[in-house]
Amino acid sequence: MSGAALAVVVVVVFFLALYLLQRYGDLWKQQRLVLFGTLLSWYLCFLIVFILPLDVSMAVYNQCNSNIANTTTATPTNPSSRSEANLSPFPSMSPPGKCEEPWTYIPNDTLEVFWRVVYWTSQFLTWLLLPFMQSYARSGAFSVVGKIKTALIENALYYGSYLLIFIALLIYVAVQLKWKLTLADLQTIGITAANTWGLFLLVLLLGYGLVEIPRSYWLSSSHNYVLSKSYFKVAKMATEKAEADEKLADVMEEVAGIHASVRQNHFLRKYVDIILTKCPTKYQEEMGINVEISRVDQNAPPTKRVLVKLHEKVVSAVQRHNQTQVQWSILLEQAFHLEDVAKSRNSSLRHFTHSFPLAHRGWIRRFIYTPTVEWFWECVLRQGLCRLLAVLLCLLSAAVIWSECTFFSTHPVLSLFAVFIQLAEKWYNYHCIEMVCFVGILFMCVCVYSTVFRIRFFNYYYLVPHHQTDAYSLLFSGMLFCRLTPPLCLNFLGMIHMDSAISHKNRVQTSYTSIMGSMQLLSFISDGFYIYYPMLVLLLCFATYYNLGSRCLNRLGFHQYITDDDLISDLVDEGRELIKRERRKRQRAEDGENRRWAWRERYGVDGATGRNRAGYTELKDNQKEPVTKIKKSAVTFTRRNEKADEQQTGLLQEDSSDDESPNRRSTAGSYLTLSPPVKGVFDDV
């Protein structure tokens, strides 16, 4: 299977990155360069994670060949050394005459070329291209040259700060080596500086994810907790939605003023038209009507710089408004579903009932995920599976925390992942080696990457699902992935004692480690920072367990869900009332639609009445003009019997009081009102 495993992983990882990009970004509306840069950065980072276990198995295979070569040339061992080997805690199996190739065998030259291309491409993206594309995508300039100029100015300080850090490290190493530096040494200094920055952020994100992911699955098994948190999110999103609407209205008012002050023959008019195309349709119509009514220029025409700033504000306000609208709808659906789950759990029928019928019911819901199956999943199985998964993830978190704090010890070996790898290496069990490496590094990546997807820096960085993430946040996530993945892999190789710079073992290195170069040029980093700084993950885990970060954010005014806080309890109650109001509003709309449908079924088929849905809505919108039409057709109504007249008049009167009076539904499908008849335009029909 030479190269086949690598090809399969490359294809699978590409579709994984494409799926995530489709979930968070908009493949049809966002800029192609933004999508390409984000997809490439995510794809390369995921490749590093999935290919590293194959590299570890190849290192074990190369070590086996090296042991055979050393055995043939070495002298026979004396009995004392043989007895010492028998006392080893891990009894060694003598290497076979010929090492068996792993089933995922990849030539060493292929791996080295692959790592060089992947690593340096990802570093070029994260340090040069993606920051420039961020400023370019966020710029409000109207031309390509203007966007490029803005991006260069914004990134000048960014690039200058990193250049100063690199120069400081360069001077330190040059003094140590008495100014004898080669090109390989410069390359190693750059890699070390990038990995040091990434490791600093990696430990912070890893400490949060190691606790929060198992805890989130355990708490999700409690239906009351999930429902209360959903109410909290609804109340918080209602505030954000109101703020977004207010900000959009303010920006549109500013646009309307500039739209009225710039005439059609002005040289800045083309820029104003570009801004108008970014505004919502209803605001464009209002601006057109207002300009036609009043053409008085009250303000002087703005400058081009003002229009550039306004263009940036319009794009940001419209994007935030769309995000809150979509998130509000999603939260409402989640809250309605959780309330339906609570009702179904208390019901004696083993049948899941939705408050509102689903708009789309595919063949999966009709034949596989039936209401009975849904009831068993939501009310019986889901709680137990979530708790079982939480226990397994908790064990993995404990193993990672222990290994992070003890991987520096090589005699005895205390790191659990190193113990498993060495046991499998004694028997040359490549399947076990790759499985342990894959599970360990995949869990660490999930802890780190999920934190990247969850964190939010105000409204500047926020990954929103359902195609609502802006270009700036997508590119920023790609930058974080490219900076976090290389130090994450190096940290994992140190945990399994495959990095000689940390374990100080004389053994065959992985191809990935050989690309990183020798860290001994910066001994205070390789022997100090890389070993002792990861131990801080234990303190961060304790801080996350006791919600110290969430409590600090609450004190600062950024509300986080905490069960023992009075203000959070008030927000939960507010969210519950909002859900009740939205449920009543949706129920009234559904009942009104059902009444209109029943009216059409009963009277719309008879052509003598001349009524249809369009005519019905006309009666509701304009009450004066249709009166004459109704009187003209009164002869048709008199031909009916008195009972039919009373039924039709009562039905039409009931709809006019739909929002004011309570109604009930009879068993025959017709709607009866509990309020007295309302006198209106139909009294003389």
Side-chain angles (χ1 to χ4, degrees), residues 86-116:
N86 293 332
L87 295 176
S88 175
F90 304 112
S92 176
M93 180 180 177
S94 59
K98 182 180 180 181
C99 295
E100 180 181 358
E101 292 184 354
W103 69 283
T104 56
Y105 175 80
I106 302 174
N108 293 327
D109 296 338
T110 304
L111 268 180
E112 290 184 3
V113 173
F114 173 82
W115 285 128
R116 291 185 185 278

Side-chain angles (χ1 to χ4, degrees), residues 123-133 155 158-159 483:
Q123 294 304 300
F124 172 75
L125 287 173
T126 187
W127 296 106
L128 296 177
L129 186 60
L130 292 183
F132 178 82
M133 292 177 64
N155 286 275
Y158 174 82
Y159 294 133
R483 296 181 186 183

Side-chain angles (χ1 to χ4, degrees), residues 46 130 255 285 312 326 356 362 454 569 589 636:
F46 295 162
L130 292 183
V255 172
E285 296 174 354
E312 184 177 343
V326 173
F356 306 102
R454 290 182 182 183
S569 301
T636 305

Side-chain angles (χ1 to χ4, degrees), residues 116-161:
R116 291 185 185 278
V117 172
V118 170
Y119 178 78
W120 288 111
T121 304
S122 64
Q123 294 304 300
F124 172 75
L125 287 173
T126 187
W127 296 106
L128 296 177
L129 186 60
L130 292 183
F132 178 82
M133 292 177 64
Q134 269 188 305
S135 302
Y136 181 90
R138 198 172 181 176
S139 173
F142 299 99
S143 62
V144 177
V145 177
K147 290 179 179 291
I148 293 176
K149 181 180 178 181
T150 304
L152 290 176
I153 294 175
E154 289 184 358
N155 286 275
L157 181 62
Y158 174 82
Y159 294 133
S161 60

Side-chain angles (χ1 to χ4, degrees), residues 394-405:
C394 186
L395 294 177
L396 279 175
S397 296
V400 171
I401 295 172
W402 174 261
S403 300
E404 287 284 2
C405 296

Side-chain angles (χ1 to χ4, degrees), residues 657-668:
S657 61
D658 178 42
D659 294 336
E660 300 295 333
S661 61
N663 300 304
R664 60 184 177 91
R665 183 181 301 174
S666 65
T667 57

Side-chain angles (χ1 to χ4, degrees), residues 488-530:
L488 175 64
C489 295
L490 276 180
N491 179 255
F492 180 77
L493 290 176
M495 287 171 54
I496 62 176
H497 294 176
M498 285 287 182
D499 188 359
S500 60
I502 298 176
S503 62
H504 303 287
K505 288 185 177 181
N506 186 14
R507 59 165 300 142
V508 177
Q509 299 295 308
T510 60
S511 299
Y512 183 81
T513 309
S514 62
I515 298 300
M516 296 293 106
S518 177
M519 302 294 179
Q520 299 301 326
L521 288 174
L522 302 172
S523 58
F524 72 95
I525 293 180
S526 61
D527 297 336
F529 185 78
Y530 280 2

